[in-house]
Amino acid sequence: MNEALPDVPEVRVVGLPQLTSGFDLVDRLDLPMHLKVHGPLEPMGGEQLAQLAERISLKGRGGAGFPFHKKLRSVAEAAIKRGVRPVVVVNGSEDEPACRKDTVLINRAPHLILDGALLCAEALGARTLVVGVTRESTQRSMEAALAERGLNNGRRSALRARVQRNPVRMVTGAAASLIRSIDGGPAIPPGRKVSASQNGVGGAPTLLSNAETFAQLAIAARIGPERYGNTGLYDEPGTVMLTVSGAVARPMVIEVPTGVPLRYVLQLAGAPPVPQGVLTGGYHGKWIDAATVNEAIVSRNSLDAVGGALGAGAILPITQDTCPLGESLRVAQWLAEESAGQCGPCYLGLPAAARGLEDILNGGGPAALEALKQVAKNVKRRGACSHPDGSAMFIESTIKAFTDDLAAHVLGNGCGRPVEGVLPLFEGGRAPTGIPGGGEAEENGPSRQKIYVDWTLCRGHGLCADILPEVFQLGADGFPTVAQAQVPRYAEAKALRAVRRCPALALRIEESGAPGAPSRNLPVLSQGRGRRALGR
């Protein structure tokens, strides 16, 4: 079984280092060493900074790949229009078991990240800087870096700077989750999609980007766009930080210029000469086969062209000796467990998708395959965040990439290979399920309620799906797609409201109290009818 990656694995570089400069001298670049290695950094105006980001084609390195110059200009325009101070947020929440590049940068080169963030803060006139992290090691390193610069969260500070520590959960890495936690709420998506550039921390325009993105900006600001463009590809200049793990002899974080052949990166990490497949972009990424690996180079456009994804920069090969569907099932089950439990596509759809993949492995045949395809299709573009979309993309890629193994499981008796567990997960296979802090532990505890649909009464009004989308979705026939479901703790009040407002009185809730206590049925009648029935 593949053990969990350490916070700071081995670090390598191909060509001349940029982000990893000085790593051969010390384990962590404190401020004096940082200045010795990289030199001082002059402030820049907002438009000058945006033009720099545009000239080097800087895109977010957290997975989405949104052009940084557009985000910077959007925040500036919104702040000027509204007459408010914007906020700058560094997203260092790296919560995929297979990703460590940002964790390495925060632990070993925190001041390079702060350089980029402070450049933006000064250019925008921001008075608040927040660095979001999820690990103890990254919290310690970044808090030390802020102290080394004399930055703090004091009310009289010209720039209030602090570290926001959130739980290690896949969903806490979403921009909306980080903003919500900074505002004092739980580190889960708010259930609605809002642009941080327009309405972020405290309602102010917020420039939020990944830790590596700010570090890349700091490098470009020092050396200039021409020199920056001398490294890597013409249309994607510079370097990329990758985390290489899976079936490799030496899991590592590696800085490489764009344009380097992917097979060369795999060879450096000791991957098998002919891998069965390579997962690109992490657990919200895509599989490519061995033949495609030989065509791919390290760049966003190249990987997209061959059916892969750069994503969060995770590269994971697997050997010919393991069952690829079984390996993917372990990840699918982990992704389902990582749900925030807020919306039906995630709370119900991802576990259903994992069960569907398991059904295929257990001999469910063509019917199981078709059911899995339908679930994955239904999950996409319906969630409150990108987690269900990314998870569905991973499952669909698994089905597409390993057609021979899929046929062996669907039409035969399986591929005959064991599951070696080469794709890293957190200890125990899953991350902690609780989301502590901000009082949300109660909301995310074990469900106390189960809601039922009485099909003899249901008339397909659809009101239940409007009130309780976390549980109910409507099928093509207009009726709910589930007959019974657990109700998330945070949605219990909405569940009761759905019961009371159902025009056909077709819903009921069974609630369990403390362990061992008898369950009781909550009323099926609406409040108005209930009062009349009781003579009130």
Side-chain angles (χ1 to χ4, degrees), residues 139-442:
Q139 180 182 7
R140 286 198 309 265
S141 180
M142 191 53 75
E143 286 180 342
L146 292 177
E148 288 164 6
R149 288 179 180 249
L151 296 172
N152 58 61
N153 196 34
R155 297 195 176 198
R156 296 186 179 181
S157 301
L159 175 70
R160 299 184 63 176
R162 67 182 179 90
V163 175
Q164 172 71 27
R165 170 86 180 272
N166 288 328
V168 180
R169 291 293 308 276
M170 185 76 163
V171 294
T172 63
S177 299
L178 179 53
I179 289 173
R180 191 178 184 187
S181 70
I182 292 170
D183 283 338
I188 53 179
R192 64 188 186 282
K193 295 182 179 179
V194 180
S195 169
S197 299
Q198 304 299 314
N199 188 6
V201 175
T206 299
L207 178 69
L208 186 150
S209 200
N210 164 266
E212 185 193 341
T213 312
F214 285 107
Q216 293 282 2
L217 185 66
I219 292 292
R222 277 187 168 89
I223 66 177
E226 290 81 10
R227 187 174 160 195
Y228 187 94
N230 289 337
T231 300
L233 299 171
Y234 174 77
D235 57 343
E236 292 183 53
T239 63
V240 175
M241 295 286 283
L242 303 173
T243 310
V244 188
S245 64
V248 297
R250 300 179 301 280
M252 63 177 60
V253 167
I254 182 168
E255 181 182 14
V256 301
T258 55
V260 168
L262 181 60
R263 65 177 180 275
Y264 180 66
V265 173
L266 293 172
Q267 288 170 2
L268 286 177
V274 184
Q276 183 175 190
V278 177
L279 180 59
T280 59
Y283 294 161
H284 278 177
K286 297 180 181 180
W287 290 98
I288 58 176
D289 59 27
T292 305
V293 170
N294 292 326
E295 304 172 15
I297 62 175
V298 176
S299 83
R300 188 176 300 276
N301 291 338
S302 171
L303 288 170
D304 286 345
V306 298
L310 180 60
I315 306 294
L316 302 104
I318 60 172
T319 69
Q320 300 281 352
D321 301 323
T322 188
C323 173
L325 300 185
E327 295 287 349
S328 297
L329 174 60
R330 294 177 65 247
V331 175
Q333 290 171 333
W334 179 79
L335 290 169
E337 189 71 15
E338 288 298 286
S339 167
Q342 291 198 116
C343 56
C346 198
Y347 177 69
L348 300 174
L350 297 189
R355 289 193 299 270
L357 187 54
E358 187 173 19
D359 287 345
I360 291 175
L361 287 165
N362 290 335
L369 176 58
E370 290 306 312
L372 175 59
K373 290 180 178 179
Q374 188 61 45
V375 169
K377 179 180 178 182
N378 290 340
V379 162
K380 291 189 296 185
R381 293 180 295 278
R382 298 179 64 187
C385 70
S386 61
H387 182 55
D389 292 350
S391 302
M393 181 171 68
F394 167 78
I395 290 173
E396 288 179 332
S397 174
T398 300
I399 295 172
K400 183 178 179 180
F402 303 108
T403 52
D404 291 345
D405 292 86
L406 188 65
H409 284 282
V410 171
L411 303 176
N413 296 319
C415 67
R417 286 173 287 188
V419 178
E420 297 180 343
V422 297
L423 300 180
L425 295 172
F426 290 119
E427 186 177 354
R430 293 170 179 170
T433 56
I435 306 180
E440 66 273 20
E442 171 68 17

Side-chain angles (χ1 to χ4, degrees), residues 5 40 49 106 109 221 251 353 490 506:
L5 290 172
L49 198 59
I106 295 173
Y490 71 88

Side-chain angles (χ1 to χ4, degrees), residues 469-484:
E470 298 89 341
V471 172
F472 290 115
Q473 304 168 50
L474 300 182
D477 57 1
F479 285 81
T481 57
V482 296
Q484 56 181 284

Side-chain angles (χ1 to χ4, degrees), residues 18-19 41 49 52-54 56-72 88-94 101-103 105-106 109-120 207-222 228 237-241 300 310-313:
Q18 291 188 355
L19 301 178
L41 183 60
L49 198 59
L52 172 66
E54 186 172 10
I56 65 171
S57 302
L58 181 61
K59 294 183 177 180
R61 300 299 177 91
F66 189 80
F68 188 79
H69 70 93
K70 292 184 178 181
K71 188 180 294 186
L72 188 62
V88 175
V89 176
V90 177
N91 192 349
S93 308
E94 195 170 42
K101 66 177 182 74
D102 290 328
T103 302
L105 284 175
I106 295 173
H111 289 285
L112 197 59
I113 299 165
L114 286 178
D115 277 347
L118 292 171
L119 268 179
C120 294
L207 178 69
L208 186 150
S209 200
N210 164 266
E212 185 193 341
T213 312
F214 285 107
Q216 293 282 2
L217 185 66
I219 292 292
R222 277 187 168 89
Y228 187 94
T239 63
V240 175
M241 295 286 283
R300 188 176 300 276
L310 180 60

